[in-house]
Each structure stands twice: as structure tokens, then as C-alpha cells.
Amino acid sequence: QVQLVESGGGLVQAGGSLRLSCTASGIILRLGVMGWYRQAPGKQRELVASITYSSASNTNYADSVKGRFTISRDNAKNTVYLQMNSLKPEDTAVYYCNVAVYGLTQRDYWGQGTQVTVSS
């Protein structure tokens, strides 16, 4: 079994920064694409950013966060990070990590979610 544990959410004023972390543990041969999603009240879950496993670590960002958020990963620690700068009230949401895991089987796993609240 694989578990994802998130940390780093909280309350911050507009213009501030937060760093989210998500660590995978369990039977893991290697990880694939790692990503962060968010869901605001009354809205659908949306992709915020993703990063591939390869040494090139290709990244992809939602237009709304480009230039403000940075996704990175540490494969040795099975961890993905999301550095969020210049936060806006519209960034308020529950943030979830999603990780493709190659272990006994191959499947995606979700973190438990961490609340990010940006006050104006």
C-alpha cells in the first residue's frame, strides 16, 4: 500500500508565500508524474501544476499560476513540492497532490488535502 502525506497549508495574507510538500511512502519501485490540484468551494477540482519523473523534469502549469507557483520534486525523498508566491485570495482552496506510483501495481494516489486560505 502507498500513502501520500501533505503538509504546508495555512492562512496567509495576499502577496504572501507558502510551500506545500507531499511525500509518498510504502511499496514504491519508482514514481511517475507528480502533480498538485486544487478545489475551491463550489468548483471542480483543477490541475495547478505537474512535473514528470525524467531528469528533464518537464513542468506544466495552469495559466492562473504561471510565474507565481513553482513545482519541484526530490526523487530520492519521494517528495513533490509546490512553492506558491504572490498569493491571491482566488488561490484559496484545498490543495491535493496526485502521484503516479509504480509498485506492486501501477496507479495514481491522492493526498488527503491541505487547506490554503489567502486573505485580502
Side-chain angles (χ1 to χ4, degrees):
Q1 188 68 320
V2 174
Q3 290 187 327
L4 302 183
V5 177
E6 300 179 21
S7 62
L11 173 64
V12 64
Q13 289 188 329
S17 298
L18 285 173
R19 188 191 194 207
L20 306 183
S21 299
C22 173
T23 299
S25 62
I27 300 175
I28 300 170
L29 295 179
R30 74 169 182 87
L31 302 177
V33 174
M34 307 178 86
W36 288 95
Y37 291 72
R38 67 185 181 188
Q39 188 166 21
K43 294 187 176 181
Q44 289 187 329
R45 190 172 298 189
E46 62 174 356
L47 175 67
V48 176
S50 63
I51 185 168
T52 61
Y53 175 81
S54 69
S55 59
S57 292
N58 295 315
T59 58
N60 178 52
Y61 295 93
D63 289 342
S64 59
V65 306
K66 283 181 181 177
R68 300 188 298 122
F69 290 11
T70 302
I71 189 170
S72 61
R73 63 190 291 166
D74 185 334
N75 291 331
K77 296 181 179 180
N78 291 336
T79 299
V80 60
Y81 305 96
L82 185 67
Q83 178 66 44
M84 305 184 292
N85 298 329
S86 302
L87 283 161
K88 304 175 180 180
E90 51 263 44
D91 293 319
T92 296
V94 178
Y95 283 70
Y96 299 89
C97 64
N98 176 272
V99 178
V101 177
Y102 296 83
L104 296 179
T105 61
Q106 189 279 314
R107 55 163 284 189
D108 286 3
Y109 288 85
W110 289 93
Q112 81 279 10
T114 185
Q115 177 70 47
V116 171
T117 303
V118 184
S119 63
S120 57

